[in-house]
Amino acid sequence: MGEFDLIGRIRARAGTRGDIVLGIGDDAALLAPPPGRHLVVTADTLNDGVHFPHGTSPADIGWKALAVNLSDLASMGADPAWCTLSLSLPQSDAVWIDGFLDGFLSLAERHGLALVGGDTTRGPLSLSVTAMGFVAAGDALRRDGARVGDDVWVTGTLGDAAGALALLERDPTHVLRARLDRPTPRVSAGLALVGLANACVDVSDGLLADLGHVCARSGVGARVEMQALPASDDLRGSFDNIERAALQAGGGDDYELCFTAEVSSRDAIARLASSLDLRITRIGRITGGDGVIAVDAAGAPWRPPRTGYDHFG
Amino acid sequence: MGEFDLIGRIRARAGTRGDIVLGIGDDAALLAPPPGRHLVVTADTLNDGVHFPHGTSPADIGWKALAVNLSDLASMGADPAWCTLSLSLPQSDAVWIDGFLDGFLSLAERHGLALVGGDTTRGPLSLSVTAMGFVAAGDALRRDGARVGDDVWVTGTLGDAAGALALLERDPTHVLRARLDRPTPRVSAGLALVGLANACVDVSDGLLADLGHVCARSGVGARVEMQALPASDDLRGSFDNIERAALQAGGGDDYELCFTAEVSSRDAIARLASSLDLRITRIGRITGGDGVIAVDAAGAPWRPPRTGYDHFG
């Protein structure tokens, strides 16, 4: 299968939307952004063996390549619209591509997102996605809006993906593996948090690291109650308390939303959790200091063994 | 240097524009597209040893990574605005990054384009850029607008980059090398061709292959006069006529614009060439058949030894 057959195979399944004037097949896509809204743009790359274990199924790779980008749109409160995909493959392989598209496009369809362009090249397995969405002007959830006294919240559970990674050699098909391979971008939650959250970030580097980004950009500090961090039963069943806490606080790849909101919004957030059927847990407070302090049940400082994933650390 | 130092280094030099609400530093960029115009989006990746020779200078890699994307915007007649950059690096290296940014950002500044986001990851050297620009609704130059009787034109000269590649082992610093490493995206020409050109493509895969894409999308054929193809003096001085013709017709990486226009536009195109100080050469005609036929000076069919670069061919 040559490059143009491969592109044709992708194009035939790329999906469409009413605001796409011209999709895949020209030098560039032509798109009609809705008037008066801001365009939200994010780009993330996954490399074989770095962002997913070597040997991950093509469908899972496709899902994750889009999910990590949708998660960034979600954390801004944006409505997903379009994406481009740059695909580097060691060799052209129709079965691999079909599997990849199964994962990628099933997630795209779920969020009404269409693939509008990109390219395919020969090279080490790598997926670069740029995702675009919209938000009303002034409505975006940003990292720089946290205020002293805000509650700190997180969606879903933490540490599952890092737990799967920790168990990878011993038990590569552990039940937690699904959370590593198929993270759930919290798009509906992000949209619903517009007007409720003061600041928001997605948990990709690890909770304390990502909350640290919010604090740095907002000029505030945060105090996190370690015993409040939400854990799945699968995570509890697989690690002791010390290991588990480290995975929850520092493990990357969760793709949950961590946000801050005023104390007066607690009831609204509880209703939101109920309507979305999504766990949303209050885990701490924004403070006047700087940096993130994690404390144990006795209020003593908890020191994480790692504070997030630094690709060049 | 860690990942966040690296991102900080990029962010400090990324440039800005009045339509950037929020640039690098959050989960995504917030951008304000101009009302009533179409957004033009393209994505292209360069891999080490595939799209540039191993050992190419970081500044040249930076230039080329953006140039190939600007060339796609140019071929649509779009005005460049923003881009994202996903950078995979084997190791974090401040000197490399600074050199890369020198090349990337000098070209970005020349075209008023700002870097608004992206990511940096550890992996084999690879650069994925998504570039965005604008065009008035209905004005975009597309591949599907060629009409029977149109002239076929090309900007600049053809075959220089392919010539440099052919000479790479024997003479890696040959004067043609500059055209391989630092292609000139024809942004001004693309903008000026709006309203003049019926169809347009950039020459990245090779002239006959790219013109073939135009023909396929437009449902027409083309006849190309081989002796009309523009060649630089450097190319003429380095190859015999047979080799040169093959490089001009089939060599990739030219990043010139190939466009079609009505016969009545010849004077306007001549004036445009003069005002842009850019060679624009008439090389053939759009015909009622399908596919591209290249003919020699005697009108006999010329058969290219290759018809463009297929990454998986």
Side-chain angles (χ1 to χ4, degrees):
Chain A
M1 188 169 59
E3 182 181 8
F4 298 109
D5 297 322
L6 201 157
I7 293 170
R9 212 168 182 99
I10 295 171
R11 187 179 167 197
R13 295 181 59 187
T16 191
R17 293 167 48 102
D19 52 15
I20 299 176
V21 180
L22 185 65
I24 297 173
D26 211 301
D27 288 292
L30 288 175
L31 308 167
R37 301 186 78 189
H38 285 162
L39 182 70
V40 186
V41 179
T42 185
D44 264 316
T45 295
L46 303 190
N47 290 334
D48 186 20
V50 178
H51 302 92
F52 52 86
H54 188 69
T56 300
S57 82
D60 287 341
I61 294 170
W63 176 284
K64 190 167 184 177
L66 184 57
V68 302
N69 282 280
L70 282 174
S71 179
D72 282 322
L73 293 185
S75 75
M76 306 296 287
D79 200 6
W82 312 306
C83 71
T84 62
L85 165 67
S86 289
L87 188 58
S88 279
L89 287 176
Q91 66 274 322
S92 177
D93 175 339
V95 173
W96 195 95
I97 279 289
D98 288 346
F100 175 87
L101 291 174
D102 288 344
F104 191 95
L105 295 176
S106 67
L107 184 59
E109 281 157 26
R110 192 175 293 203
H111 296 288
L113 177 122
L115 176 62
V116 299
D119 73 339
T120 59
T121 56
R122 182 165 49 80
L125 182 57
S126 176
L127 311 305
S128 284
V129 173
T130 294
M132 290 160 275
F134 313 116
V135 67
D139 272 2
L141 308 177
R142 302 163 52 140
R143 294 181 177 183
D144 60 6
R147 298 180 204 154
V148 175
D150 278 0
D151 292 321
V152 178
W153 300 81
V154 70
T155 62
T157 57
L158 296 171
D160 296 325
L165 208 54
L167 295 169
L168 192 64
E169 290 204 9
R170 206 160 75 226
D171 188 358
T173 59
H174 191 280
V175 62
L176 288 172
R177 181 73 189 264
R179 298 285 303 152
L180 176 66
D181 290 342
R182 297 229 170 190
T184 309
R186 299 302 183 188
V187 174
S188 303
L191 288 167
L193 285 170
V194 169
L196 265 182
N198 284 336
C200 188
V201 70
D202 76 326
V203 181
S204 52
D205 295 328
L207 175 72
L208 299 183
D210 289 308
L211 182 54
H213 300 325
V214 168
C215 289
R217 295 276 285 180
S218 299
V220 297
R223 179 185 167 98
V224 169
E225 313 286 337
M226 286 299 295
Q227 86 281 5
L229 300 189
S232 68
D233 291 340
D234 291 327
L235 191 74
R236 287 186 194 280
S238 307
F239 296 93
D240 68 31
N241 286 352
I242 291 172
E243 290 171 324
R244 177 171 54 77
L247 294 168
Q248 291 178 279
D253 265 4
D254 286 317
Y255 303 102
E256 297 294 347
L257 298 184
C258 175
F259 63 96
T260 83
E262 281 156 40
V263 172
S264 59
S265 298
R266 286 180 187 176
D267 287 351
I269 291 167
R271 285 193 298 273
L272 176 62
S274 172
S275 72
L276 293 173
D277 194 20
L278 173 67
R279 190 163 165 176
I280 305 183
T281 309
R282 188 152 49 85
I283 60 168
R285 217 50 192 272
I286 295 296
T287 64
D290 61 4
V292 180
I293 297 166
V295 296
D296 64 19
W302 180 87
R303 203 175 150 66
R306 56 191 291 237
T307 57
Y309 191 78
D310 180 332
H311 282 290
F312 297 104
Chain B
M1 188 169 60
E3 182 181 7
F4 298 110
D5 297 323
L6 202 157
I7 292 170
R9 213 169 181 98
I10 296 171
R11 187 180 167 196
R13 295 180 60 187
T16 191
R17 292 166 50 104
D19 52 15
I20 299 176
V21 180
L22 186 66
I24 297 172
D26 211 300
D27 287 293
L30 288 176
L31 308 167
R37 301 186 77 191
H38 285 162
L39 182 71
V40 185
V41 179
T42 185
D44 264 315
T45 294
L46 304 189
N47 291 333
D48 187 19
V50 178
H51 302 92
F52 52 86
H54 189 69
T56 300
S57 82
D60 287 341
I61 294 170
W63 176 285
K64 189 165 183 176
L66 184 56
V68 303
N69 283 279
L70 283 174
S71 179
D72 282 324
L73 293 186
S75 76
M76 306 296 287
D79 200 6
W82 312 305
C83 70
T84 61
L85 166 67
S86 289
L87 189 58
S88 279
L89 286 176
Q91 66 273 322
S92 178
D93 174 338
V95 173
W96 195 96
I97 279 291
D98 288 345
F100 175 87
L101 291 175
D102 288 345
F104 191 94
L105 295 176
S106 67
L107 184 59
E109 281 157 26
R110 193 176 292 204
H111 295 288
L113 178 123
L115 177 62
V116 299
D119 73 339
T120 60
T121 55
R122 182 165 49 80
L125 180 58
S126 176
L127 310 307
S128 284
V129 172
T130 294
M132 290 160 273
F134 313 116
V135 68
D139 272 1
L141 307 177
R142 302 164 51 141
R143 295 181 176 182
D144 59 7
R147 296 179 205 155
V148 174
D150 277 1
D151 292 320
V152 179
W153 300 81
V154 71
T155 62
T157 57
L158 296 171
D160 295 326
L165 208 56
L167 295 169
L168 192 65
E169 291 204 8
R170 207 159 75 224
D171 187 359
T173 60
H174 190 279
V175 62
L176 287 172
R177 182 71 191 266
R179 299 283 305 152
L180 177 66
D181 290 343
R182 296 229 171 192
T184 309
R186 300 300 184 189
V187 175
S188 302
L191 288 167
L193 285 170
V194 169
L196 267 181
N198 283 336
C200 189
V201 70
D202 77 325
V203 181
S204 52
D205 295 328
L207 174 72
L208 299 184
D210 289 307
L211 182 55
H213 300 326
V214 168
C215 289
R217 294 276 284 181
S218 299
V220 296
R223 178 184 168 99
V224 169
E225 313 286 335
M226 285 299 296
Q227 85 281 7
L229 300 189
S232 68
D233 291 340
D234 290 328
L235 190 74
R236 286 186 195 280
S238 306
F239 295 92
D240 67 30
N241 286 352
I242 291 171
E243 290 170 325
R244 176 172 55 76
L247 294 168
Q248 291 178 280
D253 264 5
D254 286 317
Y255 303 104
E256 298 295 346
L257 298 183
C258 175
F259 63 95
T260 82
E262 281 156 39
V263 172
S264 60
S265 298
R266 286 181 188 176
D267 288 350
I269 290 167
R271 285 193 298 274
L272 176 62
S274 172
S275 73
L276 292 173
D277 194 19
L278 174 67
R279 191 163 165 175
I280 305 183
T281 308
R282 189 153 48 87
I283 60 168
R285 221 42 196 273
I286 295 297
T287 64
D290 61 6
V292 180
I293 297 167
V295 296
D296 64 20
W302 179 89
R303 204 175 150 66
R306 56 191 291 237
T307 56
Y309 191 79
D310 180 331
H311 281 292
F312 297 103

